């Protein structure tokens, strides 16, 4: 039975750990028929761990193929109007909601139509996140309980307590912040909001999307901040400069569509194995 690694990635952290048991990994990897990996760095690491060099192919990241700019939520249906600046903070981790809420409170003094959507990475933290919202003098509104189309008010924060809706909520955004990048390590997927042409901000810890970040930054299609103060300043700049914001989002969308094709390339290599 052929064994294929599809959309493979070996992070620096994983590589260090696997290398400590390279005698074992070499024996395992030689039984894999095909390695379809994302970057040259991934290819180099997996070869050093024992993968036969001629079976390793660098084909890009299939997440670019998965991202879509269709089926996004409309502002009217979600409770926002044309005047609102909607800040979507997606896949946040413990510690990041406090940072975002602090920024949000400060920014509302200058941008009264700013609205916040908080989407914690783990929905079991919903009660915790709602308590943080209340502690800042705001009212949490659970996404799952919104049945009417009334507008979200200035002192309300929409808290996403469901799975599978965040991608479509990115369509509402004026600006997007991607979590697990200020607190914790690794980051989360920036490609989904970029596909909608949204300006995206991330923190410094984007190890799991290292090459993706490089691609976006190389096209000036991403803002990466070093901490909470820079996050607030970057938000202030983007909210105050619609043309700059739109240009950033447009470049991000162009990057997504320019990087597509990894799935098709992978299938071209995999198909002969299936058809034997």
């Amino acid at each position: 039975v052929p064994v294929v690694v599809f959309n493979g990635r070996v992070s620096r952290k994983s590589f260090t750990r696997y290398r400590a048991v390279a005698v074992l990994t070499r024996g395992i990897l030689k039984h894999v028929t095909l390695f379809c990996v994302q970057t040259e760095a991934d290819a180099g690491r997996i070869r050093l761990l024992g993968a036969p060099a001629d079976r390793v192919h660098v084909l890009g990241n299939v997440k670019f193929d998965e991202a879509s700019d269709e089926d996004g939520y409309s502002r009217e249906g979600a409770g926002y109007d044309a005047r609102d600046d909607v800040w979507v903070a997606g896949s946040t981790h413990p510690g990041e909601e406090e940072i975002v809420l602090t920024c949000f409170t400060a920014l509302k003094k200058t941008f009264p139509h700013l609205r916040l959507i908080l989407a914690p990475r783990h929905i079991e933290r919903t009660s915790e996140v709602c308590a943080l919202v209340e502690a800042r003098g705001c009212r949490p509104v659970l996404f799952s309980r919104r049945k009417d189309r009334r507008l979200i008010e200035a002192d309300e924060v929409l808290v996403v307590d469901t799975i599978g809706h965040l991608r479509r909520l990115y369509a509402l955004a004026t600006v997007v912040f991607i979590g697990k990048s200020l607190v914790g390590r690794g980051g989360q997927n920036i490609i989904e909001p970029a596909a909608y042409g949204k300006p995206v901000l991330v923190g410094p810890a984007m190890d799991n999307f290292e090459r993706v970040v490089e691609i976006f930054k190389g096209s000036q299609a991403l803002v990466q901040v070093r901490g909470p103060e820079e996050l607030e300043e970057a938000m202030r700049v983007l909210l105050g400069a619609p043309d700059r914001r739109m240009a950033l989002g447009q470049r991000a969308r162009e990057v997504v569509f320019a990087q597509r094709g990894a799935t098709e390339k992978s299938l071209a290599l995999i198909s002969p194995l299936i058809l034997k």
Side-chain angles (χ1 to χ4, degrees):
V1 177
V3 177
V4 175
V5 173
F6 177 71
N7 202 42
R9 183 178 64 86
V10 183
S11 69
R12 294 183 186 183
K13 185 176 181 181
S14 296
F15 175 67
T16 301
R17 291 176 175 176
Y18 283 128
R19 201 168 190 182
V21 291
V23 173
L24 296 177
T25 61
R26 192 172 294 111
I28 295 168
L29 295 177
K30 71 179 183 181
H31 295 292
V32 177
T33 309
L34 180 65
F35 298 86
C36 301
V37 301
Q38 297 178 16
T39 70
E40 291 289 350
D42 297 315
R45 289 167 189 157
I46 206 162
R47 288 181 186 123
L48 287 172
L49 293 175
D54 61 338
R55 302 182 196 174
V56 181
H57 301 266
V58 179
L59 303 178
N61 192 331
V62 300
K63 288 185 183 294
F64 286 104
D65 299 328
E66 296 171 351
S68 172
D69 59 353
E70 301 175 353
D71 301 324
Y73 288 114
S74 69
R75 285 201 166 199
E76 180 183 12
Y80 302 98
D81 65 23
R83 299 177 303 166
D84 292 333
D85 292 317
V86 182
W87 182 12
V88 179
S91 297
T92 55
H93 281 241
E96 289 179 324
E97 292 90 7
E98 293 95 325
I99 294 171
V100 169
L101 285 164
T102 297
C103 290
F104 175 64
T105 303
L107 290 166
K108 278 185 67 65
K109 297 173 184 177
T110 308
F111 304 98
H113 290 288
L114 183 62
R115 302 291 185 266
L116 176 62
I117 298 177
L118 270 178
R121 179 67 179 85
H122 303 289
I123 62 171
E124 58 266 28
R125 296 185 55 242
T126 297
S127 296
E128 174 190 343
V129 172
C130 287
L132 292 171
V133 171
E134 290 173 340
R136 297 304 173 108
C138 297
R139 291 182 293 159
V141 176
L142 294 181
F143 178 75
S144 64
R145 296 184 183 177
R146 275 193 55 79
K147 304 300 182 186
D148 55 30
R149 291 196 172 191
R150 72 172 184 82
L151 291 178
I152 298 290
E153 297 180 14
D155 64 341
E156 293 180 324
V157 173
L158 187 64
V159 178
V160 182
D161 58 336
T162 58
I163 294 173
H165 297 98
L166 177 58
R167 182 190 66 79
R168 296 175 65 194
L169 285 167
Y170 283 138
L172 307 173
T174 306
V175 183
V176 172
F177 165 71
I178 298 295
K180 202 183 177 184
S181 63
L182 276 175
V183 176
R185 294 191 64 82
Q188 297 289 348
N189 189 359
I190 65 176
I191 300 171
E192 291 179 339
Y196 284 110
K198 303 301 178 179
V200 180
L201 296 93
V202 297
M206 290 290 293
D207 304 58
N208 291 343
F209 293 85
E210 184 177 15
R211 177 55 183 157
V212 173
V213 168
E214 289 176 359
I215 293 170
F216 275 90
K217 290 179 72 174
S219 296
Q220 297 182 321
L222 178 73
V223 176
Q224 188 167 30
V225 301
R226 291 175 292 185
E229 296 79 12
E230 287 192 9
L231 176 64
E232 182 180 329
E233 181 56 29
M235 283 292 300
R236 197 175 295 278
V237 168
L238 290 175
L239 289 171
D243 291 345
R244 184 172 181 173
R245 193 170 67 226
M246 291 178 65
L248 180 64
Q250 181 59 33
R251 289 194 296 270
R253 187 175 186 275
E254 289 170 358
V255 166
V256 173
F257 286 89
Q259 291 294 319
R260 290 188 166 179
T263 303
E264 186 175 347
K265 293 174 186 176
S266 299
L267 290 175
L269 292 174
I270 296 170
S271 295
L273 302 176
I274 298 172
L275 299 174
K276 277 185 179 180

